[in-house]
Amino acid sequence: MKNAAQTRILAIALAIATLAACALALINLQRENGFEVPTDGVTWVETSGGLQAQYVPAGSPGFRAGIRSGDYLTGVNDHPVSQMPALVRQMFRSGIWAHATYSILRPISHSSDLKNAARLDIQVILEPTDRSINQGLRFIALVYLFIGLYVLFRRWTAPKSTHFYVFCLVSFVLYSFKYTGELDTFDWIIYWGNIIAGALQPALFLHFAVNFSDDYRQPANQLGRRILCTALYLPGIFLIGLQYWALHYWAATGILRHRLDQISVAYLAFYYVIAAIVFWIRYRTTDSPLERQQLKWLTRGTLLAVTPFTLVSVPYLADVHVPSLLTKLAGLSLVFLPLTFSWAIVRYRLMDVDLIFKRGVTYTLATASLVGLYFGVVAVTAEMVHARLPSLRTWGLLLAIIVTGLIFDPLKRAIQARVDRMFDQRRFDYRETLIEFGRDLNSQTDLRALLDSIVERLPEALLVTRVAVFLAREGENLRSGQSFELAASHGLMNLSSGELNPFDLGFLDFDRPTANNHIFLENPQQVLRLPEVQRLSAARLDLNYYVPCRVANREGSGTRTVAVIGLGRTHDGDFLSSEEMEVLESLAGYIGIGIQNAQLYRRLEQKITDFERLKEFNENIVESINIGIFAVDLEDRVESWNAQMEVMFAKPRAEALRQPISALFPADFVSRFNSVREEQGTHTLYKFRLVLPTGESRVANIAIAPLVTRNFVTIGRIILVDDITDRIQMEAQLTQSEKLSSIGLLAAGVAHEVNTPLAVISSYAQMLTKHMRDDERLAPVLEKITQQTFRASEIVNGLLNFSRTSGSEFTNVDLNELLRDTLVLLEHQLKTAQIRVETNFDPQLPPIHGNRGKLQQVVLNLMLNAKDAMFGLPNSTLRIATFRGTGRVLVRIQDTGSGIEREHLNRIYDPFFTTKTKPQEGGHKGTGLGLAVTYGIMQEHAGKIHVESEVGVGTAFQLEFPVSAGRVLTPPIVAAIQESDRKTIHA
């Protein structure tokens, strides 16, 4: 580290060099603007025959005058011209915008033979040389200078900072010094300044690239690195000597100048390419994330600047003409190099910060100011003593010295403050970091995100490699020091995830009365004052600083530690300064408050989550109960309204809330509700008939109970509405079923008694038929009587069979016979309803295994439903068909009735669901049990039931039964019939 004297000398030397370079560049710019260089725009090449026009750009003065590529110039204004210096002298003598007479030899047919060449005198109007590229290069020079000054003021004592500034200053000289051609003393200074800068700048850049990493500080690499860096400057020194030798000892020709320019360009491009390769190799091999980010931008910037310049240099070195615009663009691309360096410096902290330069400059300025003030005071005092107070003499001089000494300290402090603001912005950076970090802490409520932000921002602000945050455990009665756990870290690469938490952190006891503001461990591996277990933990963590984050106690006075921040050394292996520790301790207070706020917010979120979960659980209970529940306040306004109430009253919760019950319920309920208002306890209105807003009347048991708080204060009423309408209907249906059962038994008895007279009538009718078979008038009558008695007997027997309890025995059942018997039972009802019956029975239908009585009940239910669906409709037709399938028997019962609405198809098998709530005149009201019973019987017989229906077209039910064991079925033979039956029905 440099001492103060070295710092002052270096600062003064660089300041003088910078001011001199800026002054010379400014004067050079002024003189260049005031001195025009004439040109004909032609690229001349020295040959044995004279100057040959190698390239004549279109639009140039020579092209407009008539000069063409291949012409030879022998003289200008009657003066022989064989080399470039002679041509330049004649152009300067003529001046700009003047006519110069060119003596031209133009070979015939592009041959090199000049004996037969045509001699021409061409008048050329010379124009000023286009030097616009110089302004672009001066812009690059200013960019280099500003970046160098930024590093000088902000990163003075950092490694490589002086080197980097010298590189920027030399680059400024290289791109800003442009000799005008006057070749006076000042122009020669500019010329040689540009030559020296051009020789040193590539070497300085490559030197910077080679020395970028810090491994050269190792003793094993230091000597070799120094030898290599010294060798980098040898080609540049050789180029300077070559320029000097060529200028003083070689003939000044255009070819010589061109070759020297080619060597300079090749040297510059070669060093730039080597530097880019060095940056790229270090970028691929470095292990440091920060250095990798720096090298990434340096490599990209170098390649972006060098690639166009190198690509243009290759044809130039091969004596291939390059367009002027392309050359300018390639030169201006070099601006990307300093711009990339500035981004790497600002964004990725290419350099560190130190205080030595600030202090050195401060004391230098303070000393200079003191000396100046001293001599000023002495001079004024001497004048006053000599002119007005001649008696004071020596005492006056002593008084001046004393006054000067007294004002030294405040003067020094004033200069210190000024220099702080100019040269050392680090303290102000810390303040800005503190303000920005504090703003982030106040706005961050997520503890995990806050901890991640801390371990990310602190390494960026303090340039430390290792950061850890230890949080105090909550809700655990642990001894001091054991209640901390590692919550977040950065750079602890030597520890696995399983080793992060089981540390003994007993030395982090900042709540004891004698605790300091931080703990500093110079060597964490050898902290002899700690117990063995804690020493091992400190060594594994490898942190040098532990700073507590304190907040005020929740109860009483004092503070408590909610977290501890641990930090290691900087990237350069240095310890933090006292100024940095002061800022860090101040920041720790803000971090502690931020952590406490995040923890409180997390606990609040947990309580809110628990409360919402409990509230949701209670609401789910209320919503899941199949009873209408609502609550009213003391003003009889609805405060809650569950889903069952929404369904029952067809009124959404949003419309019911805050409404008085008089606006929602009929007057009789409001009257009964008001009658029990002042009474205590729960009151129940049994089988209360409730008229809904839809006009439907329902029967419900309504319980009214007071709604009280934990302190038994009544805040309203809670009402439970249990809709028992379906239950009452079920009870009525069960009663009706009992009646029908009794009637069935009575009908069976009557049918049995009717069989006796029918048998007598049938017997006598048959006897009379035998005796009177020859009587043509009475025999037919007796035959009809006999047939009708048989028919009456079949009807009575069918009724007996249907009413007889058949048990659950399963036998082989012929479905065709079962369908015919059922049609016999319903023949009278179907004729009365004017329903035409069409049957299509498969004569080879195999039997099924089932209970005949239950299957007949299934068929009877479906036929009765079809009759009711076609009641009163014209051209009503009931189609009944049986057919075979693969391993199954199918029965299809299809009507041409009103059909079933699509939204009801999924509910027709539900118990007590019916669409025949309001039957037509002559029809029957449904109970909703027929299809439910039918579905149960089909499941019992391992069968399936399918329904197809379309409103206004009709309904078709298809029953599928497995074939009885022992029978083998052939493919269906009535598929066409089945398809024709399906045509008018859509699922």
Side-chain angles (χ1 to χ4, degrees), residues 4 52 109 277 855 930:
Q52 185 182 16
S109 301
I277 294 174
L855 292 176

Side-chain angles (χ1 to χ4, degrees), residues 37 96 106 177 183 499 531 567 774:
V37 178
I96 61 173
R106 180 167 295 173
F177 282 23
L183 297 181
E499 298 174 328
L567 303 97
D774 296 330

